[in-house]
Amino acid sequence: MSYQQYELTIGWLYPKLMSTYGDRGNVICIERRSQWRGYSVKVLPLDQSATAADIRSVDVIVGGGAQDRQQEIVMRDLQGAKAEAMREKIENGTPGVFTCGSPQLLGHYYEPGFGERIQGLGILDLVSVHPVENVRRCIGNLVIEVTATRLARDLEEMTGSKAYLIGFENHGGRTKLGKVEALGRVVHGLGNNGEDGTEGAFYQNAIATYSHGPLLPKNPFVADWLIQTALRLKYQQPITLPHMDNTLALEAREAMFKRLKVSIPSVTAAKV
Ligand code: GLN
């Protein structure tokens, strides 16, 4: 099948409620990087009007960040058959990138700064708690080394070097991991809780992270990993994405690493 015939449906979790921190940029990045390769792309909002069948129909899922109040509204809707469909998708390996407020809801629970505990879907073995007031938020640039075994291996294969991600965090909640793998090790910033040096989580093909930015335009090889993983699962073929010139994005990363005085091996532009 030539690549022009590939189709990709992006499921976007609650766009109106979970876009407070600009994570719509992750949807745009996957959409454009697929279109630039000639694939046809559909973006399907997975919001209150969506059904469980809609959730099952998508090839890759993007969930953004949100304020506590919006997270509570989302969880009132993401119940029953819809929650079951989300669980099935992630357990069956549908790739996704879930930022901040989204992974908090994929965990067992999120205790917001004010109000009742929000029960999560329990798909990711983690819990998040917003500490009592007057504790500063985790805000600032974030650099991590990807340590999730399979993802680190895949990204190193794609880029030719160890994978480091750069982004921006802005969260009150602190996350503690259970048996789930961390996405990475904090090199600069605070990450899951500012104490244990972990950032995010990785489960099946779901990337959970505190990194806004948005994450994907700043780390385009992760967008390509999501697209490639989605196409391989959908078409059951060992698809490798055609190369794209990422020089601009890679130069922007280098500029940020320099500004943050973080010395890491540069990604060879030729590889991604
Ligand atoms: N409201 C959650 C918190 O403060 C999530 C914030 C976010 O999505 N950036 O931790």
Side-chain angles (χ1 to χ4, degrees):
M1 178 183 268
S2 83
Y3 68 74
Q4 280 83 355
Q5 294 158 359
Y6 291 138
E7 295 176 358
L8 195 75
T9 300
I10 304 169
W12 187 4
L13 287 179
Y14 302 89
K16 291 199 175 70
L17 289 168
M18 302 195 87
S19 291
T20 315
Y21 301 85
D23 299 309
R24 67 180 57 238
N26 289 337
V27 176
I28 297 167
C29 187
I30 293 174
E31 189 180 23
R32 291 286 182 280
R33 294 184 71 84
S34 301
Q35 289 168 338
W36 290 336
R37 288 176 168 104
Y39 310 155
S40 75
V41 187
K42 202 169 80 175
V43 178
L44 182 64
L46 299 179
D47 53 17
Q48 291 93 325
S49 59
T51 63
D54 291 329
I55 295 174
R56 286 201 181 85
S57 74
V58 303
D59 305 310
V60 57
I61 305 172
V62 177
Q67 288 152 298
D68 292 0
R69 177 95 184 80
Q70 280 75 6
Q71 288 172 274
E72 199 264 325
I73 296 169
V74 166
M75 283 319 287
R76 270 194 248 137
D77 181 67
L78 195 51
Q79 297 294 328
K82 289 173 82 165
E84 217 17 64
M86 267 302 284
R87 180 188 318 283
E88 274 169 32
K89 291 298 278 186
I90 291 178
E91 291 293 351
N92 294 339
T94 298
V97 55
F98 302 94
T99 310
C100 205
S102 291
Q104 289 176 341
L105 302 181
L106 296 181
H108 297 298
Y109 60 79
Y110 169 51
E111 287 181 5
F114 298 94
E116 299 298 305
R117 174 187 284 193
I118 302 169
Q119 288 304 325
L121 299 183
I123 301 170
L124 300 181
D125 186 11
L126 57 86
V127 295
S128 304
V129 177
H130 196 303
V132 292
E133 51 187 302
N134 305 329
V135 172
R136 74 188 184 101
R137 286 181 69 82
C138 304
I139 297 180
N141 290 298
L142 182 62
V143 178
I144 71 163
E145 174 195 344
V146 177
T147 53
T149 314
R150 183 163 49 83
L151 181 62
R153 186 206 58 210
D154 288 357
L155 294 178
E156 185 154 355
E157 221 169 270
M158 290 177 91
T159 64
S161 62
K162 195 180 274 193
Y164 287 82
L165 308 183
I166 185 155
F168 191 87
E169 61 186 321
N170 179 346
H171 54 104
R174 271 65 170 175
T175 292
K176 293 283 174 133
L177 303 180
K179 292 194 176 54
V180 67
E181 256 195 310
L183 171 64
R185 169 183 70 83
V186 176
V187 173
H188 177 97
L190 295 162
N192 281 332
N193 48 55
E195 290 160 5
D196 64 12
T198 65
E199 203 292 306
F202 182 70
Y203 178 66
Q204 302 292 53
N205 289 317
I207 295 173
T209 177
Y210 269 117
S211 187
H212 302 290
L215 179 79
L216 298 185
K218 290 188 164 203
N219 308 280
F221 44 88
V222 179
D224 286 352
W225 181 85
L226 288 163
I227 297 165
Q228 186 166 277
T229 302
L231 293 176
R232 286 181 174 180
L233 184 67
K234 180 173 187 174
Y235 293 101
Q236 292 295 303
Q237 291 171 14
I239 296 164
T240 301
L241 297 194
H243 169 71
M244 267 182 64
D245 178 9
N246 295 305
T247 308
L248 270 185
L250 298 178
E251 281 172 359
R253 281 163 56 88
E254 293 302 316
M256 273 311 293
F257 290 143
K258 215 160 136 201
R259 188 188 304 174
L260 299 175
K261 298 185 179 52
V262 168
S263 63
I264 63 162
S266 6
V267 173
T268 45
K271 280 280 283 184
V272 283

